[in-house]
Amino acid sequence: MGDHSFLVIFSSLLVLIICADTSLAQLTPGFYRKTCPNVERLVRSAVELKFQQTFVTAPATLRLFFHDCFVRGCDASILLASPNNKAEKDHPDDISLAGDGFDTVAKAKAAVDSVPQCRNKVSCADILALATRDVVNLAGGPFYRVELGRRDGRISTIASVQRRLPHPHFNLDQLNSMFSSNGLTQTDMIALSGAHTIGFSHCGHFSKRIYNFSPRKPIDPTLNLQYALKLREACPLRVDSRIAINMDPMTPQKFDNQYFKNLQQGKGLFSSDQVLATDERSKGTINLFASSQLAFNNAFVQAITKMGRIGVKTGRQGEIRSDCFRVN
């Protein structure tokens, strides 16, 4: 390789590194200190009111943030509506996102824009990130600083969701591969899975585990038998597959480490949950989080902060939407 070619390649790499560093450096908790100093209080008050109306606000908003970040990065593209139903939220993997999550963002956006100084100064992506922190905290989870400075994306396509979100039947290798592609470790993945402590699902997503797991074993042997029988009561054959079931049967409305204790007892609703406690590579982390709320909280804060940096648009990239559900 000639010196000239080497210099060109080196310079290109240097530009990429600088751009990546700049992108991350522009995310900071004090980003709106001058443009909208009360943004966190404004979002919090709106989220608190919504949370008081329905607890579904918490899991719905948290799941919305996760689905946004894993597809095209944390740019609020999950919020965009399409006149021909071809946006991210129209994909089968997103169709079950609860409307309360979208409504939480809408109400928080209205609260922020009600202050003239703040109107159209705060991105929908940042509002979603702040609202997520607030619902976690309101449900009993940790309070943490949220890095801000994201811009809103202008593109949302149904095709971009394909193979970007984990499925209930994933094994540990599949989970690790998907999270690793987003810069997240196995520990990050397990901590974020702990969000299922306040989540809910529908019968159709786990019916195979309780009725026709295999020709010889209709019930998944990794599933606690008594728990499986209770699930059968809640989800009888031919029941409406949209019936919602709490993912944590013990403390479904508290953001705690009960999810990990449930896994130790074979009470993970999805096989992708239960595998975390049966695979030796992840079992130790499950045991740690089950034994220590503090260890789980710390790992969750680190993981969701890292997740909030995935594919962010900053500076002159993207836009700040005046309507979170439509491009400007």
Side-chain angles (χ1 to χ4, degrees):
M1 182 184 295
D3 290 345
H4 177 70
S5 299
F6 173 79
L7 285 172
V8 170
I9 293 171
F10 179 77
S11 298
S12 299
L13 287 171
L14 195 60
V15 168
L16 286 172
I17 292 168
I18 290 171
C19 287
D21 287 346
T22 301
S23 177
L24 285 179
Q26 288 176 335
L27 288 184
T28 169
F31 186 83
Y32 297 104
R33 185 173 60 252
K34 294 181 179 179
T35 53
C36 184
N38 293 326
V39 61
E40 296 205 30
R41 181 178 58 79
L42 292 166
V43 171
R44 177 77 177 204
S45 62
V47 172
E48 281 181 342
L49 184 59
K50 175 69 179 173
F51 181 82
Q52 289 164 7
Q53 293 169 352
T54 172
F55 180 80
V56 175
T57 299
T61 305
L62 179 51
R63 187 165 178 243
L64 190 64
F65 185 48
F66 176 83
H67 280 232
D68 181 46
C69 290
F70 265 51
V71 179
R72 306 190 71 90
C74 309
D75 66 349
S77 55
I78 186 65
L79 303 176
L80 290 173
S82 164
N84 55 358
N85 298 324
K86 291 294 177 68
E88 285 177 31
K89 70 188 191 73
D90 300 308
H91 190 278
D93 289 351
D94 285 332
I95 207 78
S96 64
L97 288 169
D100 287 296
F102 294 89
D103 190 48
T104 299
V105 176
K107 284 181 164 55
K109 166 72 169 171
V112 171
D113 282 357
S114 69
V115 178
Q117 180 185 356
C118 300
R119 188 170 298 137
N120 297 330
K121 298 287 176 59
V122 182
S123 70
C124 300
D126 278 345
I127 288 174
L128 176 55
L130 286 169
T132 299
R133 184 271 308 278
D134 290 337
V135 296
V136 166
N137 185 235
L138 287 166
F143 183 87
Y144 55 92
R145 295 203 312 164
V146 177
E147 297 174 340
L148 302 168
R150 300 168 190 81
R151 303 266 290 181
D152 298 324
R154 297 188 180 97
I155 300 170
S156 181
T157 66
I158 197 169
S160 61
V161 183
Q162 201 67 18
R163 293 185 293 277
R164 297 299 302 174
L165 295 167
H167 283 200
H169 59 268
F170 270 15
N171 60 33
L172 186 62
D173 288 331
Q174 290 171 309
L175 288 169
N176 278 336
S177 176
M178 179 164 286
F179 279 72
S180 177
S181 68
N182 286 295
L184 299 167
T185 67
Q186 177 176 284
T187 301
D188 294 329
M189 178 269 291
I190 295 171
L192 290 169
S193 297
H196 287 172
T197 189
I198 58 168
F200 58 89
S201 187
H202 304 280
C203 296
H205 286 143
F206 57 86
S207 61
K208 180 176 170 59
R209 294 190 74 202
I210 58 176
Y211 286 114
N212 56 346
F213 181 72
S214 71
R216 293 187 178 183
K217 296 178 179 178
I219 295 177
D220 184 343
T222 66
L223 196 59
N224 179 290
L225 183 57
Q226 294 306 312
Y227 179 52
L229 295 177
K230 286 184 178 180
L231 289 175
R232 279 187 168 189
E233 289 179 13
C235 296
L237 284 169
R238 291 178 292 279
V239 72
D240 188 336
S241 63
R242 294 169 296 180
I243 295 294
I245 302 296
N246 289 321
M247 299 197 72
D248 176 357
M250 308 303 291
T251 57
Q253 294 196 359
K254 186 176 181 183
F255 193 96
D256 56 17
N257 65 338
Q258 183 63 46
Y259 164 83
F260 302 102
K261 297 176 183 178
N262 293 340
L263 296 187
Q264 290 177 320
Q265 300 167 27
K267 296 178 181 178
L269 191 61
F270 296 156
S271 57
S272 59
D273 290 312
Q274 198 57 54
V275 72
L276 302 179
T278 55
D279 195 302
E280 290 300 323
R281 294 171 293 171
S282 51
K283 189 174 183 178
T285 306
I286 296 299
N287 294 339
L288 171 63
F289 292 166
S291 67
S292 173
Q293 179 72 53
L294 180 61
F296 166 50
N297 283 353
N298 289 341
F300 180 82
V301 168
Q302 180 176 333
I304 201 164
T305 300
K306 287 170 67 176
M307 188 181 82
R309 299 169 183 160
I310 297 173
V312 294
K313 294 168 178 62
T314 59
R316 297 180 181 178
Q317 299 170 322
E319 63 185 12
I320 293 179
R321 290 183 216 139
S322 55
D323 179 343
C324 285
F325 306 103
R326 293 175 179 80
V327 295
N328 291 343

